[in-house]
Amino acid sequence: MTGWPTAPVIYEIGTWPWLAGLSRRYARPVTLANVPGEVWDEVAAPGLDAVWLMGVWERSPAGLAVARENASLQRAFRAALPDLAGPDIVGSPYCVRRYRADDRLGGPEGLATARAELNRRGLKLILDYVPNHVAPDHPATVDHPNWFIQGSPADLAADPGGWFEAAGRILAFGRDPYFPPWPDVAQLNAFDPGLREATVATLTWIAEQCDGVRCDMAMLVTNDIFAGTWGAHAGPAPSGEFWPPIIERVKEAHPGLVLIAEAYWDTEWMLQRQGFDFCYDKRLYDRLTHEGAESLRKHLVADRGYQDGLLRFTENHDEPRAAASMPGGRDRAAAVAVATLPGATLWHDGQFEGRRTHLSVFLGRYPDEPADLDLRAFHRRLLAVAAGVRRGEWRLLDTHGWPDNPSHRDVVAWSWHEGTTRHLVVVNFGDQPAQARVTLPWPGLNGRSWELTDLLDGRVFDRDGDELAGDGLYVELAPWAAHIIAVEPA
């Protein structure tokens, strides 16, 4: 991770709809080659470390044709864009025909320009890699059929939704084991040694164009999961796992590269051990979206080393918009949590402004939605504050209360401590007012007064050190409210 912070803050941009919006804003075609400098300045908000330009690779005409003909996809498209027009459907960025920046987005030269503009502003660039599948018209389906899961005419006849014909061979559509096949992609064979060599070459090529790579559905190509998905069609499992030798060789060529695994099904620790720098913390996302404070607290007792390798988020291009899925202020409480916990943090373009429409990755235009200026100000402040908080030792703290007041159970707290710098984060992760005492972890509090400054709103509180060291800090929080507090001697 040479040149990267230990806990990077990443901003995901859906490249195609973002550029379409800029083209409307400036009344001229905008590609990665000619994004105005003032826009890059806007992107480079204080507290961000990297930008993930999602969906820059060449999209498949064959995949686009599938999307235009799929009735369920069309319904989803119209739900997001009631005024849907033909040009709005641009195909899936995960149906990759070639790992070459799409000319319609600015091509390789435009991508290089975008990286230079980001690096000039102190930001790293992250791009995608899809290890599990490629477009059905990818050149390899003809040139290297052994890289793919192959079947027979009988397989095609028995399951036409799972197989297709390419250059006289029967190939499988891509899939994960819990859902029907994806009808716009061809399934690669992770057990094939030729495919593994090609993965090294492709990842190395991508790494020449960026500073980090997000690997789509990284767990699907691990030996046990792949064998369980494809059985005899995959052939015998190799003695070694897919990722470790590939990551080792790619990082030999690009030692500063950061690799991020999109990971589900509690595979995060396995993928960390196989070489990934960060893995999606989908379990935390589910807890923040659907569960309560006790569930959050249990999640955070995990080892610090493991937590440092997690990527925390409250939305991304796959998930519903936080403003819609976390109503009533829950989105702000969750945002404070992911911004101030160990590990990497992921934000999504439009999240700060309160966008509510979840846009399919097949679409190239966002609907018009009014910006929530107060929410944007909150997120910009949170970004800047969190950048100065997440340093040194992190500890999950005990919160307690009174027999006749169980509201303290909704309060979750943690601290950061480096040298003489002390920070405290307290979140009411509940929809009712809460009162609690927070046990502070620092020695030497008693015998003096302390000044507590809430960095989110600027309020200052004076507290007696004997009380802080004894009973703990008393907090009273509105539903879904939070404090990020700097603790200093008065």
Side-chain angles (χ1 to χ4, degrees), residues 4-75:
W4 280 82
T6 56
V9 181
I10 301 164
Y11 190 70
E12 178 191 0
I13 291 175
T15 308
W16 201 306
W18 180 66
L19 290 173
L22 292 177
S23 297
R24 293 196 301 275
R25 172 176 164 181
Y26 288 96
R28 63 172 175 82
V30 176
T31 72
L32 293 173
N34 61 3
V35 172
E38 65 185 14
V39 173
W40 291 123
D41 292 340
E42 292 167 7
V43 169
L48 290 180
D49 302 301
V51 169
W52 166 20
L53 288 177
M54 190 277 287
V56 303
W57 305 124
E58 188 175 296
R59 305 190 188 203
S60 160
L64 177 58
V66 171
R68 291 186 184 279
E69 296 168 4
N70 187 291
S72 63
L73 284 177
Q74 290 292 321
R75 287 192 293 272

Side-chain angles (χ1 to χ4, degrees), residues 16 57 88 127 132 143 168 187 208 410 434:
W16 201 306
W57 305 124
D88 294 327
L127 301 175
N132 186 66
D143 299 337
Q187 177 66 52
E208 292 172 2
D410 286 335

Side-chain angles (χ1 to χ4, degrees), residues 3 77 95 100-101 107 121 133 135 163 193-194 199 277 288 337 360 362 387 404 406 424 482:
F77 298 163
C95 178
R100 179 185 186 278
R121 291 163 174 81
H133 50 264
W163 303 86
T199 299
D277 298 290
L288 291 172
S360 167
F362 288 84
D404 60 345
L424 176 67

